[in-house]
Each structure stands twice: as C-alpha cells, then as structure tokens.
Amino acid sequence: ALALGAVSYLWATPGVAPGFWDMFVLAFVERLFRTTYRKDDFVLGKKLGEGAFGVVYRVSLAKKPSSKKEGDLVLKKATEYGAVEIWMNERVRRACANSCADFLYGFLESSSKKGAEYWLIWRFEGEATLSDLMLSKDFPYNVEAMILGEVQDLPKGLERENRIVQTIMRQLLFALDGLHSTGIVHRDIKPQNIIFSEGSRTFKIIDLGAAADLRVGINYIPKEFLLDPRYTAPEQYIMSTQTPSAPSAPVAAALSPVLWQMNLPDRFDIYSTGLIFLQMAFPALRSDSNLIQFNRQLKRCQNDVVAWRKTVEPRASPDLRRGFEMLDLDEGIGWELLTSMVRYKARQRTSAKAALAHPYFDREGLLVLSFMQ
Ligand code: ADP
Ligand code: MG
C-alpha cells in the first residue's frame, strides 16, 4: 500500500518525474482498472462542432452496463492531431483534473471508412460555452444565474456586473494556472473553448488539440499550425524561434524548467485571456468583426492598450464608456489587471498565478459569489 501510495503521489504531482510514470508504469496499471470504450458503445447525437482536425458529437451509450459511467458524453473524432490531444487530456486528468472537461477515454479507431481516426470521450459538461453566454443580451447576469442556481434580488448595475466578471475571470485563471503548473500551454484560449460545467457550476477549459506539453516536448513547435488570429498574442511562436527544434523526451524533461523560464510560453494564454476579459467588459467588442477591428486599432497604437484607450475614449460610444467605467471601479484595479495581461512583450505580462493574487480579486463584494467555488 505504501509503495502504491508513493507511486500515485509521484504520478499526480506536477513537477515530479514528468512523463515517466505516465508512459511506463501506471499507464499499464491503469489499463487493468479503468473503464474502456469502443466504437459500438456509442449512439451518435447532435453535432456540436466541426473544425479542420475533427468533428464533435454529443453521444449516449448504446447500453449501460453497470461498469460504464452513465449519462451524456461527448465524442470527438479527430485526425492525426488526435494522438496529441489524447496525451494532453491524460496528463490533465492526472495532474489538474478540475481545469478541463472531464476526460474519460481515448483510442484509435481504425475500422472507419475514412481511415484511422482517434476517438476521444468526455463527459458532457453542459450546453453553453462562454461564447454562447457572452453573445446573450443578458450577459453577465445569465452567468450569475448559472453559477448561483437562482437569480439574486440585488440591484442590477455596474458593481454587480463587475463582480460576476471577476468571478468568471477568477475561474478562468484558476483553470489556466492548473494547466500551466502542469507544464501545458493551451494556445487556443477563446470563449468557444471554455465550457460552463453544469455539474460543478464553474467554467472549464476544453479543446487541447493545439496544446503543447513543454515538460516532455510533446507538440513542442509544430511546423504547420493554425492559430486563431482573433485571440493570438503578438508573438507567433510560444517559444523563441532560436530554441532548437524539439529535443527528445528525456532531454526536454530535463531542460524544460529552464526553457520555460527563458521563454515564458504560458504568457501566450494570458494574452488571449486578457482579450476575453476585454470582451466581457465591452459588449461592443464581443462580435468577431469588432474584435478584429480592435486588434487592428491596437496594432496601430504599437500594441499598447493604454495608448488605445487614449485614442478611443474621447469619442467613445456610451457602451464603450461604460466598459471603462467598470474597469475603473475601485481605483482602476480592473483596468490595471487588464493592461498587465495584454502587454506586447510576453516577459512583461503577468502569469496566471500572479493574476490570481492581484488585488482585483480581493474586493469584499466578491463574497456574494465566491462561496460557490
Ligand atoms: P473543435 O476542435 O471542433 O473546436 P472542441 O473540443 O472545441 O472541438 O469542441 C467543439 C464544441 O463541442 C465546443 O465548442 C463545445 O460547444 C462542445 N463541447 C466540447 N467538449 C464538450 C464537453 N465536454 N461538454 C459539452 N460540450 C462540449
Ligand atoms: Mg474548439
């Protein structure tokens, strides 16, 4: 029991023996106990999404033997990148399970007509992504209702909206900190890849298809890679282009803390999260076209949000002015956090952990919502 305990401690602790236990010992042990799935287990439901690298369906189990977990599931049929996505989900499952949607199983399905596909199975977390919720006229009150289960009878207004946005931001940063502490950079953080988990009443990250695990060099710098231009940080590569191409796994494992400190690849996700913060504060920036226009404006201001504010504020619409007003509450603490996230230079951006300790998050008013977490 002691040996098993020690092994599982090593296995689950980020920063210890990266990748080694995963690959050899416990993957085998786990095989013996874990519920597995195969193609015939699933009945396909509604299509939830379709990208360049796969299709996502809501599915249910054909029959429900007692050994298999019941309930709604999500299936992604993925192309060649599916292998990496399975790897990332397995890592997350062990090291920071609460950060992401609950992953159940992944396997290679070779009997399909289209050739080999990777099938990935998650628990169905809920109907709405942050993108869906943000596009509602009711945002952020619709989120408050979901987090609290019922709508509070409090006066609506900036202060209350600010508290809801604070809560969402804290949940996002908390999930992101879990990933980053595990050595994973997501690289595709955007509202469409954040799901509201109805079970835990929190936001979780999904879609690790573009993620990189820097501790073992998996998907280190892919040659061909499509980033979502709406949310990407100015630096195109998460690691300096001078870093040699992916070293072999053991070398990468030894080097990665050093490389991480040199390149701060996690700051790439922080920039994207900063843009989500911006969209939550400014309804006018929630549409794709307006976000793209914002990115153009920002570039014209040498990627300096403070300069951007100076150019737009004097002739701002009431809607835009209201966003600034919200970020300016409590001596501008929200604006301060936002600017520390969307800096041009990755090195000058805050980390997820540092952002969580930012005074923006320790305002009294937060208590109304924070006890739910
Ligand atoms: P894609 O590569 O197509 O972007 P995603 O992993 O982002 O794949 O999934 C596509 C969509 O499927 C998401 O935007 C979300 O609406 C839905 N989805 C994915 N995973 C889950 C889940 N675990 N629970 C509920 N919905 C999910
Ligand atoms: Mg996605």
Side-chain angles (χ1 to χ4, degrees):
L2 211 63
L4 261 180
V7 163
S8 54
Y9 174 78
L10 280 175
W11 187 30
T13 307
V16 180
F20 180 79
W21 294 109
D22 303 31
M23 281 186 285
F24 301 110
V25 187
L26 286 148
F28 175 74
V29 175
E30 192 182 41
R31 279 281 123 142
L32 300 176
F33 295 105
R34 186 152 153 206
T35 307
T36 60
Y37 297 87
R38 55 199 178 82
K39 189 182 180 192
D40 301 332
D41 286 339
F42 307 107
V43 180
L44 250 53
K46 191 181 158 213
K47 194 191 274 187
L48 297 175
E50 180 157 16
F53 308 114
V55 192
V56 180
Y57 302 91
R58 188 168 176 171
V59 296
S60 53
L61 291 171
K63 38 185 174 333
K64 292 177 182 166
S66 56
S67 71
K68 300 207 169 158
K69 291 181 185 164
E70 293 189 21
D72 266 339
L73 305 176
V74 169
L75 161 69
K76 183 185 264 190
K77 296 184 185 179
T79 56
E80 65 267 31
Y81 291 101
V84 173
E85 199 172 347
I86 291 174
W87 162 277
M88 296 297 162
N89 276 283
E90 289 289 340
R91 290 272 306 127
V92 164
R93 226 174 94 90
R94 288 161 200 173
C96 55
N98 296 329
S99 289
C100 296
D102 196 2
F103 182 69
L104 298 180
Y105 194 63
F107 57 98
L108 182 64
E109 168 50 46
S110 45
S111 69
S112 103
K113 280 175 242 121
K114 287 186 231 135
E117 286 173 329
Y118 290 94
W119 284 34
L120 293 88
I121 312 294
W122 293 267
R123 191 175 307 291
F124 181 81
E125 296 279 359
E127 302 274 354
T129 64
L130 181 57
S131 169
D132 302 327
L133 293 165
M134 267 171 40
L135 289 173
S136 154
K137 272 205 162 57
D138 254 1
F139 185 86
Y141 296 108
N142 55 347
V143 172
E144 182 186 40
M146 292 172 86
I147 289 174
L148 293 174
E150 60 190 85
V151 184
Q152 297 277 297
D153 195 18
L154 296 167
K156 295 195 173 184
L158 265 192
E159 296 257 355
R160 185 165 158 205
E161 286 166 35
N162 188 43
R163 279 172 210 165
I164 305 165
V165 170
Q166 275 174 332
T167 305
I168 300 170
M169 279 304 290
R170 199 166 41 158
Q171 293 184 352
L172 288 187
L173 288 164
F174 183 78
L176 211 52
D177 181 38
L179 279 185
H180 292 168
S181 305
T182 305
I184 296 175
V185 184
H186 187 280
R187 295 197 293 198
D188 199 15
I189 294 290
K190 55 184 177 183
Q192 293 81 354
N193 284 341
I194 293 160
I195 191 95
F196 187 78
S197 167
E198 287 165 11
S200 65
R201 288 195 181 154
T202 55
F203 286 95
K204 293 182 175 182
I205 294 168
I206 56 170
D207 201 353
L208 296 165
D213 186 334
L214 290 141
R215 299 196 319 166
V216 284
I218 297 278
N219 200 16
Y220 187 68
I221 301 176
K223 292 222 164 53
E224 30 165 344
F225 185 69
L226 283 172
L227 297 163
D228 189 320
R230 293 168 300 174
Y231 292 91
T232 42
E235 70 272 19
Q236 199 186 342
Y237 299 99
I238 54 164
M239 299 297 264
S240 140
T241 45
Q242 280 156 30
T243 315
S245 60
S248 62
V251 176
L255 273 179
S256 61
V258 180
L259 290 178
W260 188 283
Q261 276 312 312
M262 272 169 50
N263 295 290
L264 303 172
D266 56 315
R267 306 301 200 273
F268 190 88
D269 291 341
I270 293 295
Y271 188 93
S272 313
T273 310
L275 290 191
I276 298 176
F277 189 11
L278 191 90
Q279 288 188 300
M280 291 200 284
F282 300 101
L285 300 183
R286 286 180 201 155
S287 72
D288 279 353
S289 54
N290 287 2
L291 182 59
I292 291 165
Q293 198 195 337
F294 163 82
N295 284 330
R296 253 188 253 127
Q297 288 175 347
L298 188 61
K299 213 169 183 178
R300 256 184 262 130
C301 300
Q302 273 70 50
N303 294 284
D304 178 353
V305 264
V306 177
W308 169 79
R309 178 171 183 167
K310 283 200 188 110
T311 64
V312 297
E313 203 167 18
R315 47 188 176 80
S317 62
D319 172 287
L320 214 55
R321 212 167 298 135
R322 198 163 185 276
F324 287 124
E325 211 180 303
M326 185 173 112
L327 294 166
D328 282 345
L329 289 172
D330 303 313
E331 288 98 52
I333 208 108
W335 175 251
E336 210 283 325
L337 176 62
L338 177 70
T339 55
S340 73
M341 296 179 79
V342 289
R343 294 220 172 93
Y344 179 68
K345 288 209 166 94
R347 187 151 296 281
Q348 289 167 1
R349 268 174 238 150
T350 186
S351 67
K353 212 181 283 306
L356 283 169
H358 192 277
Y360 176 64
F361 294 111
D362 43 56
R363 293 286 132 176
E364 278 298 295
L366 204 62
L367 285 175
V368 181
L369 294 170
S370 62
F371 71 93
M372 293 304 304
Q373 289 182 53

PDB file of all heavy atoms in Angstrom, residues 182-200:
ATOM      1  N   THR A 182       1.159  22.425 -14.677  1.00  0.00           N
ATOM      2  CA  THR A 182       1.397  21.064 -15.150  1.00  0.00           C
ATOM      3  C   THR A 182       2.388  21.059 -16.312  1.00  0.00           C
ATOM      4  O   THR A 182       2.862  20.020 -16.744  1.00  0.00           O
ATOM      5  CB  THR A 182       0.044  20.438 -15.575  1.00  0.00           C
ATOM      6  OG1 THR A 182      -0.856  20.530 -14.476  1.00  0.00           O
ATOM      7  CG2 THR A 182       0.171  18.989 -15.968  1.00  0.00           C
ATOM      8  N   GLY A 183       2.675  22.228 -16.839  1.00  0.00           N
ATOM      9  CA  GLY A 183       3.615  22.318 -17.955  1.00  0.00           C
ATOM     10  C   GLY A 183       2.936  22.387 -19.305  1.00  0.00           C
ATOM     11  O   GLY A 183       3.576  22.224 -20.338  1.00  0.00           O
ATOM     12  N   ILE A 184       1.626  22.606 -19.292  1.00  0.00           N
ATOM     13  CA  ILE A 184       0.880  22.644 -20.554  1.00  0.00           C
ATOM     14  C   ILE A 184       0.497  24.074 -20.922  1.00  0.00           C
ATOM     15  O   ILE A 184       0.013  24.829 -20.093  1.00  0.00           O
ATOM     16  CB  ILE A 184      -0.388  21.767 -20.454  1.00  0.00           C
ATOM     17  CG1 ILE A 184       0.010  20.300 -20.262  1.00  0.00           C
ATOM     18  CG2 ILE A 184      -1.265  21.928 -21.689  1.00  0.00           C
ATOM     19  CD1 ILE A 184      -1.162  19.362 -20.022  1.00  0.00           C
ATOM     20  N   VAL A 185       0.761  24.437 -22.158  1.00  0.00           N
ATOM     21  CA  VAL A 185       0.284  25.706 -22.702  1.00  0.00           C
ATOM     22  C   VAL A 185      -0.848  25.363 -23.677  1.00  0.00           C
ATOM     23  O   VAL A 185      -0.695  24.480 -24.516  1.00  0.00           O
ATOM     24  CB  VAL A 185       1.396  26.455 -23.465  1.00  0.00           C
ATOM     25  CG1 VAL A 185       0.904  27.807 -23.927  1.00  0.00           C
ATOM     26  CG2 VAL A 185       2.616  26.616 -22.590  1.00  0.00           C
ATOM     27  N   HIS A 186      -1.976  26.036 -23.552  1.00  0.00           N
ATOM     28  CA  HIS A 186      -3.151  25.665 -24.332  1.00  0.00           C
ATOM     29  C   HIS A 186      -3.079  26.148 -25.779  1.00  0.00           C
ATOM     30  O   HIS A 186      -3.348  25.418 -26.714  1.00  0.00           O
ATOM     31  CB  HIS A 186      -4.403  26.229 -23.638  1.00  0.00           C
ATOM     32  CG  HIS A 186      -5.686  25.784 -24.258  1.00  0.00           C
ATOM     33  ND1 HIS A 186      -6.198  26.354 -25.404  1.00  0.00           N
ATOM     34  CD2 HIS A 186      -6.570  24.814 -23.897  1.00  0.00           C
ATOM     35  CE1 HIS A 186      -7.353  25.757 -25.707  1.00  0.00           C
ATOM     36  NE2 HIS A 186      -7.592  24.824 -24.801  1.00  0.00           N
ATOM     37  N   ARG A 187      -2.725  27.396 -25.948  1.00  0.00           N
ATOM     38  CA  ARG A 187      -2.521  28.047 -27.250  1.00  0.00           C
ATOM     39  C   ARG A 187      -3.788  28.355 -28.054  1.00  0.00           C
ATOM     40  O   ARG A 187      -3.713  28.908 -29.155  1.00  0.00           O
ATOM     41  CB  ARG A 187      -1.561  27.229 -28.149  1.00  0.00           C
ATOM     42  CG  ARG A 187      -0.174  27.180 -27.566  1.00  0.00           C
ATOM     43  CD  ARG A 187       0.820  26.756 -28.580  1.00  0.00           C
ATOM     44  NE  ARG A 187       0.625  25.390 -28.995  1.00  0.00           N
ATOM     45  CZ  ARG A 187       1.563  24.675 -29.615  1.00  0.00           C
ATOM     46  NH1 ARG A 187       2.717  25.219 -29.899  1.00  0.00           N
ATOM     47  NH2 ARG A 187       1.320  23.431 -29.941  1.00  0.00           N
ATOM     48  N   ASP A 188      -4.949  27.952 -27.568  1.00  0.00           N
ATOM     49  CA  ASP A 188      -6.174  28.277 -28.302  1.00  0.00           C
ATOM     50  C   ASP A 188      -7.258  28.707 -27.317  1.00  0.00           C
ATOM     51  O   ASP A 188      -8.408  28.278 -27.404  1.00  0.00           O
ATOM     52  CB  ASP A 188      -6.603  27.061 -29.127  1.00  0.00           C
ATOM     53  CG  ASP A 188      -7.575  27.432 -30.250  1.00  0.00           C
ATOM     54  OD1 ASP A 188      -7.703  28.634 -30.573  1.00  0.00           O
ATOM     55  OD2 ASP A 188      -8.213  26.512 -30.809  1.00  0.00           O
ATOM     56  N   ILE A 189      -6.864  29.537 -26.353  1.00  0.00           N
ATOM     57  CA  ILE A 189      -7.825  30.030 -25.363  1.00  0.00           C
ATOM     58  C   ILE A 189      -8.727  31.062 -26.037  1.00  0.00           C
ATOM     59  O   ILE A 189      -8.255  32.052 -26.605  1.00  0.00           O
ATOM     60  CB  ILE A 189      -7.093  30.676 -24.158  1.00  0.00           C
ATOM     61  CG1 ILE A 189      -6.303  29.614 -23.370  1.00  0.00           C
ATOM     62  CG2 ILE A 189      -8.080  31.416 -23.244  1.00  0.00           C
ATOM     63  CD1 ILE A 189      -7.160  28.618 -22.608  1.00  0.00           C
ATOM     64  N   LYS A 190     -10.017  30.794 -26.028  1.00  0.00           N
ATOM     65  CA  LYS A 190     -11.020  31.707 -26.573  1.00  0.00           C
ATOM     66  C   LYS A 190     -12.376  31.291 -26.011  1.00  0.00           C
ATOM     67  O   LYS A 190     -12.510  30.175 -25.502  1.00  0.00           O
ATOM     68  CB  LYS A 190     -11.020  31.656 -28.100  1.00  0.00           C
ATOM     69  CG  LYS A 190     -11.213  30.280 -28.695  1.00  0.00           C
ATOM     70  CD  LYS A 190     -11.093  30.340 -30.202  1.00  0.00           C
ATOM     71  CE  LYS A 190     -11.212  28.949 -30.815  1.00  0.00           C
ATOM     72  NZ  LYS A 190     -11.025  28.962 -32.260  1.00  0.00           N
ATOM     73  N   PRO A 191     -13.374  32.171 -26.059  1.00  0.00           N
ATOM     74  CA  PRO A 191     -14.656  31.857 -25.416  1.00  0.00           C
ATOM     75  C   PRO A 191     -15.293  30.556 -25.928  1.00  0.00           C
ATOM     76  O   PRO A 191     -15.967  29.861 -25.174  1.00  0.00           O
ATOM     77  CB  PRO A 191     -15.527  33.073 -25.764  1.00  0.00           C
ATOM     78  CG  PRO A 191     -14.548  34.184 -25.995  1.00  0.00           C
ATOM     79  CD  PRO A 191     -13.342  33.541 -26.603  1.00  0.00           C
ATOM     80  N   GLN A 192     -15.041  30.210 -27.180  1.00  0.00           N
ATOM     81  CA  GLN A 192     -15.586  28.977 -27.756  1.00  0.00           C
ATOM     82  C   GLN A 192     -14.967  27.735 -27.117  1.00  0.00           C
ATOM     83  O   GLN A 192     -15.536  26.641 -27.219  1.00  0.00           O
ATOM     84  CB  GLN A 192     -15.327  28.923 -29.275  1.00  0.00           C
ATOM     85  CG  GLN A 192     -16.056  29.953 -30.104  1.00  0.00           C
ATOM     86  CD  GLN A 192     -15.371  31.327 -30.114  1.00  0.00           C
ATOM     87  OE1 GLN A 192     -14.376  31.568 -29.407  1.00  0.00           O
ATOM     88  NE2 GLN A 192     -15.910  32.248 -30.899  1.00  0.00           N
ATOM     89  N   ASN A 193     -13.807  27.884 -26.511  1.00  0.00           N
ATOM     90  CA  ASN A 193     -13.129  26.746 -25.896  1.00  0.00           C
ATOM     91  C   ASN A 193     -13.211  26.773 -24.378  1.00  0.00           C
ATOM     92  O   ASN A 193     -12.385  26.197 -23.682  1.00  0.00           O
ATOM     93  CB  ASN A 193     -11.665  26.692 -26.347  1.00  0.00           C
ATOM     94  CG  ASN A 193     -11.548  26.160 -27.770  1.00  0.00           C
ATOM     95  OD1 ASN A 193     -12.461  25.515 -28.284  1.00  0.00           O
ATOM     96  ND2 ASN A 193     -10.425  26.451 -28.412  1.00  0.00           N
ATOM     97  N   ILE A 194     -14.223  27.470 -23.871  1.00  0.00           N
ATOM     98  CA  ILE A 194     -14.466  27.483 -22.430  1.00  0.00           C
ATOM     99  C   ILE A 194     -15.912  27.064 -22.211  1.00  0.00           C
ATOM    100  O   ILE A 194     -16.831  27.697 -22.726  1.00  0.00           O
ATOM    101  CB  ILE A 194     -14.186  28.879 -21.856  1.00  0.00           C
ATOM    102  CG1 ILE A 194     -12.685  29.152 -21.966  1.00  0.00           C
ATOM    103  CG2 ILE A 194     -14.643  28.982 -20.407  1.00  0.00           C
ATOM    104  CD1 ILE A 194     -12.317  30.577 -21.906  1.00  0.00           C
ATOM    105  N   ILE A 195     -16.085  25.956 -21.492  1.00  0.00           N
ATOM    106  CA  ILE A 195     -17.436  25.403 -21.334  1.00  0.00           C
ATOM    107  C   ILE A 195     -17.906  25.624 -19.909  1.00  0.00           C
ATOM    108  O   ILE A 195     -17.101  25.575 -18.973  1.00  0.00           O
ATOM    109  CB  ILE A 195     -17.447  23.891 -21.692  1.00  0.00           C
ATOM    110  CG1 ILE A 195     -18.864  23.337 -21.793  1.00  0.00           C
ATOM    111  CG2 ILE A 195     -16.655  23.051 -20.704  1.00  0.00           C
ATOM    112  CD1 ILE A 195     -19.421  23.315 -23.169  1.00  0.00           C
ATOM    113  N   PHE A 196     -19.193  25.909 -19.766  1.00  0.00           N
ATOM    114  CA  PHE A 196     -19.733  26.015 -18.421  1.00  0.00           C
ATOM    115  C   PHE A 196     -20.157  24.627 -17.958  1.00  0.00           C
ATOM    116  O   PHE A 196     -21.026  23.997 -18.573  1.00  0.00           O
ATOM    117  CB  PHE A 196     -20.919  26.978 -18.350  1.00  0.00           C
ATOM    118  CG  PHE A 196     -21.362  27.208 -16.937  1.00  0.00           C
ATOM    119  CD1 PHE A 196     -20.659  28.061 -16.110  1.00  0.00           C
ATOM    120  CD2 PHE A 196     -22.452  26.528 -16.412  1.00  0.00           C
ATOM    121  CE1 PHE A 196     -21.034  28.243 -14.781  1.00  0.00           C
ATOM    122  CE2 PHE A 196     -22.845  26.698 -15.085  1.00  0.00           C
ATOM    123  CZ  PHE A 196     -22.125  27.571 -14.272  1.00  0.00           C
ATOM    124  N   SER A 197     -19.511  24.145 -16.909  1.00  0.00           N
ATOM    125  CA  SER A 197     -19.828  22.827 -16.369  1.00  0.00           C
ATOM    126  C   SER A 197     -21.019  22.943 -15.433  1.00  0.00           C
ATOM    127  O   SER A 197     -20.929  23.566 -14.379  1.00  0.00           O
ATOM    128  CB  SER A 197     -18.610  22.279 -15.624  1.00  0.00           C
ATOM    129  OG  SER A 197     -18.995  21.156 -14.859  1.00  0.00           O
ATOM    130  N   GLU A 198     -22.134  22.336 -15.848  1.00  0.00           N
ATOM    131  CA  GLU A 198     -23.357  22.459 -15.043  1.00  0.00           C
ATOM    132  C   GLU A 198     -23.219  21.695 -13.730  1.00  0.00           C
ATOM    133  O   GLU A 198     -23.808  22.069 -12.722  1.00  0.00           O
ATOM    134  CB  GLU A 198     -24.564  21.976 -15.856  1.00  0.00           C
ATOM    135  CG  GLU A 198     -24.930  22.980 -16.941  1.00  0.00           C
ATOM    136  CD  GLU A 198     -25.872  22.430 -18.022  1.00  0.00           C
ATOM    137  OE1 GLU A 198     -26.429  21.326 -17.832  1.00  0.00           O
ATOM    138  OE2 GLU A 198     -26.022  23.109 -19.056  1.00  0.00           O
ATOM    139  N   GLY A 199     -22.413  20.639 -13.742  1.00  0.00           N
ATOM    140  CA  GLY A 199     -22.211  19.849 -12.526  1.00  0.00           C
ATOM    141  C   GLY A 199     -21.481  20.629 -11.444  1.00  0.00           C
ATOM    142  O   GLY A 199     -21.914  20.663 -10.297  1.00  0.00           O
ATOM    143  N   SER A 200     -20.375  21.258 -11.812  1.00  0.00           N
ATOM    144  CA  SER A 200     -19.583  21.959 -10.798  1.00  0.00           C
ATOM    145  C   SER A 200     -19.891  23.448 -10.763  1.00  0.00           C
ATOM    146  O   SER A 200     -19.347  24.171  -9.930  1.00  0.00           O
ATOM    147  CB  SER A 200     -18.087  21.749 -11.068  1.00  0.00           C
ATOM    148  OG  SER A 200     -17.727  22.347 -12.288  1.00  0.00           O
TER     149      SER A 200
END
